[in-house]
Amino acid sequence: MTRRSFWVNCAFAMAASPQFVPTEIASDFDFPQREAAFFYGLFLRGHSAEQLRRDIEVPPAVLAKWLREAEREPQLKDIFTRIVEYRRHVLAIFDTLVESEGMAQRIQ
């Protein structure tokens, strides 16, 4: 089978846009470990850690767009802030998992 590259951040981009942030997603913000585990699973399957980090982070262009949106609709600022904090938390957990994997391989 040939490996195809795909962008794992596409679902996040849709869910994070203002018109797609239902209240049910707010409860998902309570479990960044789940999303970090998903990305870690992709890492264990051979995906590049750097590419996965880029997919986890909120790209600067998206962040700039959100800031413009928040200026027009101030109620969105809290949502965007929460999303960015959540993604940073996911990234920190992912980095810890990747580092622990590297340490375990060195010990063996």
Side-chain angles (χ1 to χ4, degrees):
M1 286 206 254
T2 33
R3 178 188 260 175
R4 278 200 260 150
S5 65
F6 63 98
W7 189 47
V8 294
N9 208 10
C10 61
F12 167 70
M14 253 182 35
S17 62
Q19 64 271 25
F20 290 107
V21 183
T23 55
E24 301 89 53
I25 290 178
S27 64
D28 290 342
F29 287 142
D30 296 334
F31 302 103
Q33 306 89 333
R34 290 180 186 167
E35 191 164 350
F38 167 77
F39 283 103
Y40 184 62
L42 292 174
F43 169 73
L44 292 177
R45 288 173 184 81
H47 292 268
S48 160
E50 285 308 311
Q51 179 60 47
L52 293 170
R53 285 183 183 101
R54 285 191 296 271
D55 288 340
I56 294 169
E57 292 176 333
V58 177
V62 172
L63 191 56
K65 180 182 176 191
W66 287 354
L67 291 173
R68 288 190 303 273
E69 287 285 326
E71 287 176 4
R72 284 189 291 249
E73 297 182 50
Q75 72 273 14
L76 295 176
K77 184 177 182 184
D78 289 338
I79 294 170
F80 293 148
T81 301
R82 191 154 183 214
I83 291 170
V84 170
E85 289 173 2
Y86 172 79
R87 299 304 285 188
R88 287 182 180 151
H89 195 175
V90 170
L91 183 59
I93 295 168
F94 174 76
D95 283 339
T96 301
L97 292 170
V98 170
E99 286 173 15
S100 68
E101 174 72 16
M103 293 178 87
Q105 286 180 353
R106 278 183 251 158
I107 291 173
Q108 294 175 355

